[in-house]
Structures are given as structure tokens and as C-alpha cells.
Amino acid sequence: MARSIYCGENYEYVYMLDNYIIETSENSNKNLCVIYCSSSGLYYPNTEEEFKRAFIDHQDRFEWRNHRIRGAAKTIWIRDITKEFYVKGINSRINNIDKLIDFLKEQVKGYELITVGSSGGGYIAALLGCALNAKCVYCFSGFFNLNIIDQSTWPLIFEMGKYKEYNKWYRIDKLIEECGTEIFYFYPGLLEDDCKQAEFVKNIGNVKTFTFNSSIHGIPFQDRFHISVLNSVLNLSEEKLRKLHSHYRNKHISGIGWAFKVFLK
């Protein structure tokens, strides 16, 4: 697979864009803000043609536009066009994770917060959720330690890793443990790399882990009920998710069984 794109004329043009969307709803009766974090699935394969199609021909390419938590008063979508775990932030002004935290801290002030993401988006959703004191995080196939990822797939992580301002965020399990934000973590138990990441949070009490009998990275319970189940999961109360976690603790979950449990809740 070609490396992610983080230089060149097209890249520099898109990096100058905001690469975030903020919407507010006057009809909401909840003082809730939700941040949706796009993953490396924004475009594929890693070619200039696909990059241009995703971000120049269609500048509104963000994940999670069709899977949302209902009733939020404020909704924020962010994307990492570099596709390297937000190490370069989201644009030329908000160009590292510290600046991203500061930017979003102002945006979520006065709101109850939830963050959502999968894969690299799950990593930043967990990081932001803890840094911004979110009430909970929905983390699908997230990463918690970037020091063990494949260098050939994410070369920029290794290039930037020599600098403390970047590598200080490469391992976030301690941050998660210390912050106390509740993280609902869903991952495929049949993928080696995901299992390695899961090891870093397996003993952290505020991480409620759901292990699926699946080899699908991202949303691990994809099947014919996928869209309905995902939307239902995002809109379950934390209390109901905790009950599901208690039921499935230390078990591998089947997609069909999970779907019925979610719908019955």
C-alpha cells in the first residue's frame, strides 16, 4: 500500500482548508456537543487521484455524517487529511494535537461532551475525550499505543516520533486511566493488531470493552444489520451500555446475537 499523502500541491491546498465542520441546533433540548473524528478510511487507495477526489472535488468528505447521536445541540466533525493519527492536527493553523485540544476546548465550553471515532479516529476520540473531560467516548477499533504500529504503513508517525511535542501523545493508556472518562471500546478479537492494542487498556476500569468474534477493523460488528445496529448503539444510554458490557464481559460477541441484544435494549 502506498504511504499516506502529506506533501505536494494538492496536500498543501487542502491543508489550508478548515477540515472541520461545526453545526448547531436551536431545536435541541440537550446541552450536548458531539465530536466525530474521521479515520484513515476517508479515502483509498493512497493516490493523488483519490486524494483530489476526496478533498478537492468534494470538500465535505467527513466520516460519521450518516451515523449520529440524536439531539445534540452542537456537532463537530474533524478530519486528518494526512491520515497519520492527527499528528499534524487538522490544518495549517491547528497543526498538532496540542493546538487541536486548545481549539476544541473553546468550542465545547459549557457543553456536555461525547466523542466518537474508529481506528485512527478512535485514537483521537479517546485522547480528546480524556483531555476535554468528556462524559463518554465511543471508540471503535481504536489505538492506544502508536509506538508499536507498522512503520511502513504510517511513516510520518516514526518521522515525528523523535520530537517530544508529538511523541508525548503516542501512548494514551495512562491518560485514559487517570482521566476517568468512560470509554466504550469495541474491537475485533480476531485481528492481531487490534488485540495488541486492546492489551494496553484491558485492566483500566473506565474502559468498557466489547470484544467481537470478528476480523473487521473499524466497526467490528458489520453485517446486514450494520447501519441500524451502529445507530442504535450510538443512541443507547450509558446505563444500557454498561448493562451490555456486564453481560458480555470476557466473552467474544457474535454479530447476530449482538444485534438482537441491542435492539431488545
Side-chain angles (χ1 to χ4, degrees):
M1 181 178 68
R3 70 171 196 177
S4 57
I5 294 170
Y6 46 86
C7 61
E9 184 177 344
N10 286 333
Y11 177 83
E12 294 302 329
Y13 170 77
V14 179
Y15 197 48
M16 290 292 292
L17 302 177
D18 286 338
N19 295 310
Y20 64 82
I21 296 174
I22 299 175
E23 291 182 359
T24 56
S25 172
E26 296 180 357
N27 298 321
S28 174
N29 58 3
K30 298 180 182 179
N31 189 39
L32 173 67
C33 177
V34 183
I35 301 175
Y36 296 98
C37 309
S38 295
S39 74
S40 296
L42 271 173
Y43 71 91
Y44 184 85
N46 294 338
T47 64
E48 288 290 342
E49 292 76 17
E50 286 300 321
F51 184 94
K52 181 177 181 293
R53 185 176 293 113
F55 302 130
I56 297 176
D57 298 342
H58 306 283
Q59 294 184 8
D60 61 346
R61 176 77 66 87
F62 290 81
E63 291 182 344
W64 301 98
R65 298 300 298 275
N66 297 319
H67 304 291
R68 301 173 61 171
I69 294 170
R70 292 187 290 270
K74 190 171 190 177
T75 305
I76 302 173
W77 290 269
I78 61 173
R79 66 188 183 191
D80 171 21
I81 66 162
T82 311
K83 301 208 308 184
E84 295 266 352
F85 297 92
Y86 291 77
V87 69
K88 290 186 66 177
I90 59 175
N91 61 42
S92 59
R93 302 165 301 283
I94 306 167
N95 57 9
N96 61 38
I97 288 175
D98 290 284
K99 291 180 182 179
L100 181 59
I101 291 169
D102 290 342
F103 168 72
L104 291 171
K105 186 180 295 183
E106 290 300 311
Q107 296 299 324
V108 305
K109 191 175 292 183
Y111 290 93
E112 190 173 50
L113 176 64
I114 295 175
T115 62
V116 181
S118 71
S119 190
Y123 158 79
I124 201 67
L127 192 163
L128 292 173
C130 291
L132 299 173
N133 195 31
K135 74 165 183 171
C136 72
V137 175
Y138 292 83
C139 177
F140 300 87
S141 298
F143 289 71
F144 308 103
N145 187 347
L146 304 186
N147 296 303
I148 65 169
I149 63 176
D150 178 51
Q151 182 172 355
S152 63
T153 304
W154 292 286
L156 189 61
I157 291 296
F158 288 83
E159 291 176 25
M160 308 293 270
K162 65 183 79 169
Y163 304 109
K164 186 176 180 180
E165 66 177 293
Y166 300 105
N167 68 34
K168 69 179 181 179
W169 297 114
Y170 280 17
R171 184 165 176 176
I172 63 170
D173 50 318
K174 297 299 182 185
L175 171 68
I176 291 169
E177 186 173 21
E178 291 169 1
C179 78
T181 292
E182 195 165 31
I183 296 178
F184 298 105
Y185 169 45
F186 310 81
Y187 81 97
L190 303 182
L191 276 185
E192 181 180 0
D193 287 345
D194 280 273
C195 291
K196 287 179 180 177
Q197 293 294 327
E199 284 292 308
F200 291 98
V201 294
K202 69 176 183 180
N203 295 319
I204 299 178
N206 51 307
V207 178
K208 303 298 189 290
T209 300
F210 297 83
T211 307
F212 287 82
N213 188 35
S214 168
S215 58
I216 300 172
H217 181 73
I219 311 302
F221 46 83
Q222 293 184 20
D223 54 34
R224 65 180 180 271
F225 299 116
H226 164 60
I227 293 176
S228 297
V229 175
L230 179 56
N231 288 335
S232 295
V233 168
L234 290 175
N235 287 285
L236 289 176
S237 68
E238 291 93 76
E239 180 184 358
K240 290 179 178 178
L241 280 168
R242 290 184 204 111
K243 288 181 179 179
L244 281 172
H245 174 257
S246 295
H247 177 79
Y248 285 115
R249 189 193 302 268
N250 300 321
K251 299 177 183 177
H252 274 58
I253 306 169
S254 73
I256 298 298
W258 166 253
F260 283 116
K261 278 284 184 185
V262 168
F263 289 143
L264 287 173
K265 289 290 179 181

